[in-house]
Amino acid sequence: MRFCLAFLFLLYGLSAFGQGENNVWAFGFKGGLDFNGSAVAAYRTEIGGIGFFNNMEACAAVSDATGQLLFYTDGSRVWDRMHNLMLGGGTLHGWPLSYVTESAQHGAQIVPVIGEEGKYYIFSLTEFERHATGNGGHLFYSVVDMSLNGGLGDIDLTRKWVFLDSNLTEKMIAVPGNNCNIWLLVHDLDTNLFKAYEISAGGINDTPVPSYTGVMGSLPGTAGNTTTFRNRWWVVGQMTVSPDRTRIAAAYLAAAHAEVFDFDPSTGQVSNAFVLDTMLQLTQGNSFSGVAFSGDNSKLYVSGIREVNNTGTDSRYIYQYDMLAAGGTAGIRASKTLVGNCGINSHLRRGPDGKIYFLYTRQTDSLGVIEAPDLPVPACQYRARALVLLPGSYSTFTLGNNYVMPIVTKFRSHSREVVLCEADSAVLTADPAAQGYLWEDGSTGISRTVYAPGMYTVEYYDECHRPYTDTIIVRIQRNPLAGPDGYSCPEHADGILWMTPSDTTTYTYTWTDGGGIILRETESRDGDTLNDLKPGGYRVWVRAPGGCDTVYVLWVLPHPAADASFFTEGLVCKGESLLFESADSSVTWQWVFGDGQSETGREDVSHTYNYTGEYRVSLSVENSYGCRDTTTQTVRVVDFSLDLSASSALVNHGETIYLETSSEKPYRVIAWRPGHLFADQTAYAQSRAADTTCKYIVVGISEAGCKDSAEVEVRVVPVLFIPSAFSPDGDGLNDYFRPASTGVPPLVRQFLIYNRWGKLVWEASGTTAVRGWDGRYSDGTPAEAGVYFYTIDMETMTGRADYRKGDVTLVR
């Protein structure tokens, strides 16, 4: 039975700002960061040996979901992941001037082309004074298609440098909407107008959602709502969105203030502006440049706040504001707390690791980090120059815009169970209107066939890139297990057949004999047993409630009497182990060995007899059906003893000795030891000239296979000799004058040394005499070289006294 499965879905929210798409940053002059490892690492872009131009502000990069870089841009040009200019992205614009986005602080923004896999919008915002008409910054877009240029990507020439708007400030960010869309938020140059362009699966709506809010139309020196900001320092400064997308923050460099707004991600409306800090006189030189929210939305960080001291010097700082402070906007303003110095008018950017990064100084090789921005000062852990860039690269003013994806909702299937019959299969099919199928085993088809139980999932997405996951639990309906063949003892009809359940399912069992006659039909969750069966074949039809069924053929076999035969040669040596083996497949065995010993429960046993004689051994067996049988055999236990004699126990060196074996029972000699002394290893007698004391061993075996060994020691009278010279020079050779022997050395009882004038110069007895004369007088002084006389009183190993005298030469 095969199943084609459909799925139902439950809706729940899922934040989907991306996975690894923002893991590689590119900024400044060949600078960058890589967040793919366990810790952030400096990254260097190499672009035809040139890299990002110095002082560049516009920058954006995008990676794939695994964090591998795809491409990056300065708004005017595009480089692929190999750091080469894309063929169509050498210049995106058609202006006669080069690098028209280079000094626009938010001059580049990347978002996906919703519904077109592998395609991306690049929004380019030009510097407000570099344009054809002089009416503020111009907004364009181009499309990168990653399927082009062998997967490295290139510009879609039909959608390149498409004009959208003009007369804008340098502020541009993308914010995920609530309806699988993205809002591109820009700001008018001359008024307090925000424009929100909607990006959806239908493309870019070129009619933006307007929002008039904030103080940009009523700054000092302006009139009403038509202020003209022709000095670029009035229009630069960072804009950012809170992680929960409910607030916008914007900094204005020369206007010396920052504003916070409410944002509605459903409509794109910006509202409820309030100035974050008290307006300062422009003559003081105060400024605001960077803004960034903490990951939990509770803190706002503002950088580039310039303060002039009494000496006329100034510094720029980062401050923290508590966005949850009591007292509303007044409380937020009052929560302003100094974090640390930032050196320049730096933008701030929150990384994938949740930390906030900033530029410590312009054209520097290091960045600063706020390690825990969710926490108040000083727990937020401000660190200046915390991260060093790679040699040959440095930062400028900005760290780039985040890549933004739509906020999507994710659907998940009901937990559904499908029951398959054992040995059957199921075909699982996903929604045919979707795309990008990915099953948990890595397969990518719309369907797959499964044969095993488990949980199977398939992920895919719709035209809005909303991801779905279908889940199905497959359970196998296991068949009951059949018992083994039944048996009946001789002249009985007591065969038994049974079925054992594999789970708690209630099965229907229908039993029939070989002629098809129904013997029994019953329903049970505990299996079923059929008794009192004669030998023959039987069938049982097993059916489960869900329709799974199978037929088993079982047999009752005629069971003979238990086979109690066992094999042994019937002859064993005393003290050796004898193995008794039975070929019977019974349940119980009982061995009786005839010497008062027995053993129960094993078919193969070993037993040792310690006395000679004959023993009656019996084996009784019983099978699982109670059939019994007994058999007996006789075991004869024999012994064997081998002797070895020598013609003499003590001989002189070179004297011939004779060795002879003997036993009371027939035997064979199988080995002599030491083996190298006897060429014939099977001789019953041996002879050899004695040269040293030795122990001789012979090994024999009786006709019954019993082994024994015997040994005898023959001692050789040692040959004694005394050296005529020695050299006590400490080289380990001939350092002592003493008797030498071919065998056991003699016992030296007294050792005397005289000089040539007959004067006693050394004497010793006991162990000192055995060690010998070391060439020193008795007082320890070395004796002169020359001839000396000796007398030695010894006793040989046979107890005979031996007296020697003579002369020896001492050589030095």
Side-chain angles (χ1 to χ4, degrees):
M1 184 178 297
R2 306 176 76 88
F3 295 88
C4 183
L5 307 178
F7 302 91
L8 298 176
F9 307 100
L10 291 176
L11 176 66
Y12 66 91
L14 174 71
S15 177
F17 285 96
Q19 302 174 48
E21 287 85 352
N22 282 296
N23 277 14
V24 178
W25 295 359
F27 54 82
F29 183 82
K30 297 185 181 181
L33 296 181
D34 187 340
F35 292 86
N36 283 303
S38 58
V40 62
Y43 180 82
R44 178 184 168 97
T45 59
E46 293 291 347
I47 310 165
I50 299 176
F52 272 4
F53 289 102
N54 194 10
N55 297 326
M56 191 200 71
E57 298 174 47
C59 51
V62 61
S63 302
D64 62 18
T66 68
Q68 302 306 305
L69 179 66
L70 293 178
F71 63 89
Y72 51 98
T73 179
D74 62 0
S76 293
R77 297 168 297 174
V78 188
W79 292 267
D80 61 27
R81 66 175 180 271
M82 304 304 294
H83 310 296
N84 296 314
L85 281 171
M86 290 186 178
L87 298 178
T91 56
L92 294 176
H93 57 79
W95 300 108
L97 297 176
S98 299
Y99 319 126
V100 295
T101 62
E102 180 193 4
S103 291
Q105 292 204 351
H106 286 293
Q109 175 70 58
I110 304 173
V111 302
V113 178
I114 301 174
E116 297 186 38
E117 182 70 15
K119 296 182 181 180
Y120 300 85
Y121 289 115
I122 295 178
F123 289 96
S124 303
L125 182 59
T126 68
E127 304 170 35
F128 88 97
E129 75 272 25
R130 293 189 180 180
H131 49 74
T133 63
N135 292 323
H138 284 55
L139 178 62
F140 301 85
Y141 75 87
S142 305
V143 172
V144 171
D145 186 346
M146 292 304 298
S147 69
L148 301 177
N149 194 24
L152 291 175
D154 203 349
I155 303 301
D156 179 351
L157 298 181
T158 66
R159 292 184 288 182
K160 178 178 178 180
W161 206 248
V162 180
F163 176 76
L164 272 182
D165 203 350
S166 63
N167 202 49
L168 302 174
T169 68
E170 296 185 4
K171 289 176 167 53
M172 176 176 63
I173 60 172
V175 183
N178 285 347
N179 302 298
C180 190
N181 61 341
I182 297 173
W183 298 103
L184 185 72
L185 196 62
V186 294
H187 199 286
D188 185 70
L189 177 64
D190 294 327
T191 68
N192 61 350
L193 171 63
F194 283 93
K195 298 179 181 180
Y197 287 91
E198 184 179 17
I199 306 164
S200 67
I204 302 172
N205 187 341
D206 56 8
T207 302
V209 175
S211 299
Y212 289 93
T213 184
V215 298
M216 280 298 291
S218 57
L219 291 175
T222 68
N225 211 31
T226 59
T227 303
T228 300
F229 298 97
R230 296 308 180 194
N231 184 324
R232 68 165 306 185
W233 304 112
W234 286 79
V235 299
V236 298
Q238 189 177 7
M239 183 165 64
T240 190
V241 62
S242 62
D244 63 5
R245 302 172 297 131
T246 63
R247 279 179 163 171
I248 300 291
Y252 302 96
L253 189 66
H257 76 284
E259 287 184 281
V260 176
F261 311 84
D262 289 342
F263 182 75
D264 186 346
S266 295
T267 64
Q269 288 286 340
V270 182
S271 60
N272 299 327
F274 74 90
V275 175
L276 186 66
D277 211 338
T278 304
M279 290 285 291
L280 301 174
Q281 294 298 319
L282 300 182
T283 55
Q284 292 181 301
N286 291 278
S287 61
F288 290 75
S289 58
V291 284
F293 287 93
S294 62
D296 66 354
N297 308 286
S298 67
K299 307 293 187 299
L300 177 63
Y301 292 83
V302 179
S303 68
I305 298 178
R306 183 181 182 188
E307 296 184 358
V308 181
N309 58 29
N310 294 331
T311 64
T313 60
D314 59 55
S315 297
R316 290 175 174 84
Y317 299 91
I318 299 175
Y319 282 86
Q320 181 193 84
Y321 295 84
D322 184 357
M323 303 306 292
L324 303 180
T329 57
I332 294 174
R333 293 190 188 102
S335 69
K336 176 181 175 183
T337 305
L338 176 65
V339 176
N341 188 291
C342 65
I344 63 169
N345 296 317
S346 169
H347 278 203
L348 306 173
R349 185 175 178 184
R350 189 177 64 255
D353 55 5
K355 301 176 183 180
I356 291 179
Y357 294 82
F358 59 91
L359 309 171
Y360 189 72
T361 58
R362 182 183 177 186
Q363 296 187 357
T364 183
D365 63 351
S366 62
L367 303 179
V369 178
I370 300 173
E371 297 281 352
D374 293 343
L375 302 178
V377 180
C380 63
Q381 301 177 47
Y382 160 86
R383 294 175 58 207
R385 302 183 186 276
L387 188 62
V388 179
L389 299 180
L390 295 181
S393 64
Y394 57 80
S395 61
T396 52
F397 286 109
T398 67
L399 294 174
N401 276 351
N402 276 323
Y403 171 77
V404 172
M405 296 175 61
I407 292 291
V408 299
T409 53
K410 189 169 185 178
F411 297 76
R412 193 171 185 86
S413 68
H414 288 294
S415 179
R416 181 178 176 183
E417 182 178 88
V418 171
V419 178
L420 300 182
C421 300
E422 190 170 2
D424 211 334
S425 62
V427 178
L428 310 182
T429 302
D431 185 350
Q435 55 186 316
Y437 306 103
L438 179 62
W439 297 84
E440 86 290 336
D441 67 345
S443 60
T444 56
I446 187 174
S447 302
R448 63 177 295 201
T449 302
V450 298
Y451 301 90
M455 184 175 73
Y456 298 88
T457 59
V458 57
E459 297 181 355
Y460 52 87
Y461 51 87
D462 62 13
E463 71 282 355
C464 192
H465 280 257
R466 288 178 296 192
Y468 294 78
T469 300
D470 294 347
T471 303
I472 193 73
I473 298 173
V474 176
R475 182 174 67 84
I476 302 296
Q477 179 64 63
R478 299 293 184 188
N479 293 329
L481 304 176
D485 291 336
Y487 291 92
S488 178
C489 293
E491 302 179 358
H492 289 277
D494 52 3
I496 302 174
L497 299 174
W498 70 84
M499 300 295 298
T500 301
S502 57
D503 53 31
T504 59
T505 303
T506 299
Y507 292 91
T508 299
Y509 299 90
T510 301
W511 297 86
T512 59
D513 62 13
I517 298 175
I518 296 178
L519 303 177
R520 173 186 173 88
E521 184 171 88
T522 184
E523 292 185 357
S524 172
R525 62 186 300 176
D526 301 319
D528 196 29
T529 302
L530 205 60
N531 299 298
D532 303 326
L533 300 176
K534 296 178 181 181
Y538 298 84
R539 292 175 178 267
V540 56
W541 180 26
V542 182
R543 305 182 299 282
C548 296
D549 67 330
T550 188
V551 175
Y552 296 85
V553 177
L554 307 178
W555 292 89
V556 174
L557 303 177
H559 203 298
D563 180 8
S565 63
F566 64 93
F567 173 78
T568 176
E569 295 180 354
L571 188 65
V572 66
C573 300
K574 183 182 73 173
E576 291 187 1
S577 177
L578 179 62
L579 176 65
F580 296 93
E581 299 175 293
S582 171
D584 189 79
S585 57
S586 301
V587 175
T588 62
W589 298 262
Q590 184 176 25
W591 298 87
V592 178
F593 302 111
D595 61 351
Q597 304 294 317
S598 64
E599 188 165 344
T600 301
R602 292 191 299 165
E603 54 186 306
D604 301 328
V605 297
S606 295
H607 186 70
T608 302
Y609 291 93
N610 296 318
Y611 301 96
T612 59
E614 290 189 351
Y615 299 89
R616 294 285 291 175
V617 180
S618 66
L619 169 62
S620 297
V621 297
E622 180 178 347
N623 63 19
S624 59
Y625 301 96
C627 303
R628 297 180 59 84
D629 194 17
T630 301
T631 187
T632 61
Q633 286 190 15
T634 299
V635 174
R636 185 162 62 92
V637 181
V638 297
D639 198 7
F640 171 57
S641 177
L642 182 66
D643 294 321
L644 176 63
S645 62
S647 57
S648 177
L650 182 64
V651 297
N652 292 319
H653 187 272
E655 182 179 345
T656 301
I657 58 173
Y658 299 92
L659 304 173
E660 187 173 356
T661 64
S662 61
S663 178
E664 296 179 354
K665 297 179 180 180
Y667 68 96
R668 291 183 297 108
V669 174
I670 60 175
W672 287 87
R673 302 288 185 270
H676 69 279
L677 299 180
F678 305 104
D680 187 356
Q681 288 286 297
T682 62
Y684 288 88
Q686 302 278 10
S687 64
R688 69 179 301 272
D691 56 356
T692 184
T693 299
C694 184
K695 181 182 291 186
Y696 302 97
I697 301 173
V698 65
V699 181
I701 185 170
S702 70
E703 291 181 338
C706 303
K707 291 183 181 180
D708 194 24
S709 63
E711 63 179 48
V712 65
E713 183 178 43
V714 177
R715 306 179 72 187
V716 175
V717 177
V719 176
L720 183 67
F721 65 94
I722 298 176
S724 61
F726 77 110
S727 56
D729 55 5
D731 64 356
L733 301 174
N734 301 317
D735 287 336
Y736 290 87
F737 171 54
R738 59 194 174 198
S741 173
T742 59
V744 178
L747 173 64
V748 180
R749 293 186 293 198
Q750 189 178 42
F751 198 167
L752 303 177
I753 302 294
Y754 299 89
N755 63 18
R756 58 186 174 178
W757 293 284
K759 180 179 178 181
L760 178 68
V761 297
W762 183 81
E763 65 177 327
S765 60
T767 57
T768 304
V770 171
R771 185 173 69 247
W773 185 40
D774 62 357
R776 296 176 182 271
Y777 295 135
S778 296
D779 62 0
T781 60
E784 297 87 354
V787 178
Y788 292 83
F789 300 92
Y790 65 86
T791 63
I792 304 177
D793 185 5
M794 301 175 290
E795 181 180 327
T796 67
M797 62 172 289
T798 62
R800 180 174 62 85
D802 191 353
Y803 182 81
R804 304 281 182 99
K805 65 180 180 178
D807 61 78
V808 63
T809 301
L810 189 156
V811 180
R812 291 195 181 275

